């Protein structure tokens, strides 16, 4: 069943021995993942987002990691699919939000200014019953301004903008939380949803940034996205910046923010806090 679903649905798939082995591995992973939140095995790493006009860290993206019982540190691509299929993504997503809000509050107090943390929200999370009202109540409880949380969504979510998805996005935005479209330009971009939704940031996909200096097509696409976003009143964040040349080209093109290995890899919260304190 899972093989047929992953291959596009509406088709026949005959049983093979390796399917059983894969199913057993998936069940084992799911059983272990159920203990990730209660067992305090999840961690957030943070990657700085730099203001290109000042070269200072002004935001961060929170990135989920799972400290598996074996001691291995697992990235989301190894377990998020299972979490989405099983429904565990709602519990995990709520933990990510609350933990990110905790650090945003801590760093806002430390810097004496609002410090925004971005979190990724899975399309599956928009199907849940619990929604922005719970998140806003938590922000009120810890006295953190809603603009200190930025929710990143993918273009894939926007393929089928149901009334449910629109309502949940509207609830996030009306609360004061900001919204970004991640990996912009690589999916099924439609200018219509930029008109329908109150988006705050576009994140240029790293595939364009990677070839920015040497490929005219990537450079033109990047510059066009920046100009379009600014005319629409949006800010732009470039992902995957790895070289000074890329950073300079983005700055010259008018890009607002950048993140990538040039500035820092994702790091644990304590190390990120040290970076903030010493900049």
């Amino acid at each position: 069943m899972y093989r047929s679903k992953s291959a596009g649905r509406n088709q026949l798939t005959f049983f093979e021995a390796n399917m059983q082995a894969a199913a057993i591995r998936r069940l084992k992973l799911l059983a272990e993942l159920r203990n990730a939140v209660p067992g305090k095995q999840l961690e957030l790493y943070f990657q700085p987002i730099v203001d290109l006009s000042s070269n200072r860290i002004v935001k961060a993206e929170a990135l989920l990691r799972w400290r598996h019982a074996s001691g291995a540190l697992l990235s989301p691509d190894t377990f998020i699919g299972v979490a989405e299929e099983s429904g565990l993504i709602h519990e995990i997503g709520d933990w990510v939000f609350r933990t990110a809000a905790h650090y945003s509050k801590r760093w806002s107090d430390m810097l004496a200014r609002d410090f925004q943390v971005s979190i990724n929200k899975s399309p599956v999370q928009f199907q849940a019953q619990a929604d922005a009202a719970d998140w806003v109540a938590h922000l009120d409880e810890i006295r953190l301004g809603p603009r200190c949380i930025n929710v990143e969504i993918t273009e894939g979510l926007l393929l089928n903008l149901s009334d449910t998805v629109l309502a949940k996005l509207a609830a996030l935005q009306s609360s004061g939380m900001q919204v970004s479209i991640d990996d912009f330009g690589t999916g099924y971009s439609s200018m219509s949803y930029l008109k329908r939704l109150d988006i705050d940031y576009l994140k240029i996909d790293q595939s364009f940034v990677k070839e920015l200096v040497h490929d005219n097509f990537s450079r033109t696409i990047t510059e066009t996205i920046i100009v379009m976003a600014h005319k629409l009143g949006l800010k732009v964040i470039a992902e995957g910046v790895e070289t000074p040349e890329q950073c300079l080209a983005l700055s010259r093109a008018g890009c607002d923010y950048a993140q990538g290995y040039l500035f820092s890899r994702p790091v644990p919260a304590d190390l990120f806090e040290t970076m903030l304190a010493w900049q």
Side-chain angles (χ1 to χ4, degrees):
M1 179 184 69
Y2 286 109
R3 179 72 63 86
S4 291
K5 287 172 67 176
S6 64
R9 302 173 182 266
N10 298 321
Q11 58 186 286
L12 293 173
T13 302
F14 292 96
F15 176 79
E16 297 176 4
N18 64 348
M19 291 183 187
Q20 184 174 8
I24 291 172
R25 287 195 300 271
R26 180 185 175 280
L27 288 172
K28 184 174 184 293
L29 182 67
L30 176 57
E32 295 169 337
L33 187 58
R34 290 189 188 280
N35 189 51
V37 173
K40 299 182 178 180
Q41 297 172 352
L42 298 181
E43 301 176 17
L44 283 187
Y45 275 45
F46 296 87
Q47 187 170 37
I49 297 175
V50 173
D51 184 335
L52 288 177
S53 65
S54 65
N55 290 319
R56 294 179 65 84
I57 300 170
V58 293
K59 307 174 188 290
E61 180 178 358
L63 298 160
L64 181 62
R65 299 291 185 265
W66 176 19
R67 184 72 64 179
H68 190 266
S70 66
L73 188 65
L74 304 181
S75 58
D77 58 347
T78 62
F79 61 87
I80 284 298
V82 171
E84 290 176 332
E85 291 172 5
S86 65
L88 284 174
I89 191 66
H90 304 305
E91 179 184 13
I92 292 173
D94 190 57
W95 179 89
V96 168
F97 163 74
R98 290 172 181 271
T99 306
H102 163 77
Y103 283 111
S104 176
K105 172 66 174 174
R106 177 182 175 89
W107 296 329
S108 294
D109 290 345
M110 182 182 83
L111 298 170
R113 62 174 173 82
D114 286 350
F115 187 86
Q116 187 180 76
V117 175
S118 298
I119 58 174
N120 295 279
K121 189 165 184 176
S122 161
V124 178
Q125 287 177 263
F126 283 90
Q127 302 167 9
Q129 292 82 11
D131 53 14
D134 301 318
W135 286 13
V136 172
H138 180 70
L139 295 180
D140 288 340
E141 182 181 336
I142 66 173
R143 298 183 179 180
L144 180 67
R147 289 177 65 86
C148 289
I149 297 296
N150 179 56
V151 178
E152 294 191 10
I153 61 176
T154 63
E155 288 184 317
L157 174 70
L158 305 173
L159 277 176
N160 298 298
L161 272 177
S162 66
D163 290 340
T164 300
V165 172
L166 279 171
K168 290 185 181 296
L169 277 172
L172 287 174
Q173 294 163 326
S174 64
S175 75
M177 282 183 259
Q178 296 192 311
V179 177
S180 302
I181 298 179
D182 199 11
D183 301 331
F184 186 81
T186 61
Y188 302 88
S189 299
S190 169
M191 297 303 103
S192 62
Y193 64 64
L194 293 180
K195 180 179 179 180
R196 296 174 65 189
L197 300 173
D198 187 17
I199 301 297
D200 298 285
Y201 303 95
L202 296 183
K203 298 193 76 173
I204 302 175
D205 185 71
Q206 59 186 343
S207 62
F208 297 118
V209 176
K210 182 178 180 180
E211 303 297 331
L212 178 64
V213 177
H214 307 291
D215 179 63
N216 186 58
F217 177 80
S218 295
R219 183 166 56 254
T220 301
I221 289 292
T222 300
E223 292 173 350
T224 301
I225 291 174
I226 293 170
V227 171
M228 177 197 69
H230 287 169
K231 285 186 175 294
L232 292 173
L234 312 179
K235 298 291 187 179
V236 181
I237 303 171
E239 299 180 284
V241 180
E242 297 183 349
T243 69
E245 291 78 15
Q246 293 169 348
C247 188
L248 179 60
L250 288 164
S251 183
R252 287 175 173 171
C255 188
D256 302 289
Y257 307 101
Q259 69 180 104
Y261 289 176
L262 174 64
F263 310 106
S264 173
R265 293 175 177 269
V267 295
D270 57 346
L271 182 53
F272 183 81
E273 186 168 310
T274 301
M275 293 168 60
L276 274 181
W278 282 96
Q279 71 165 349

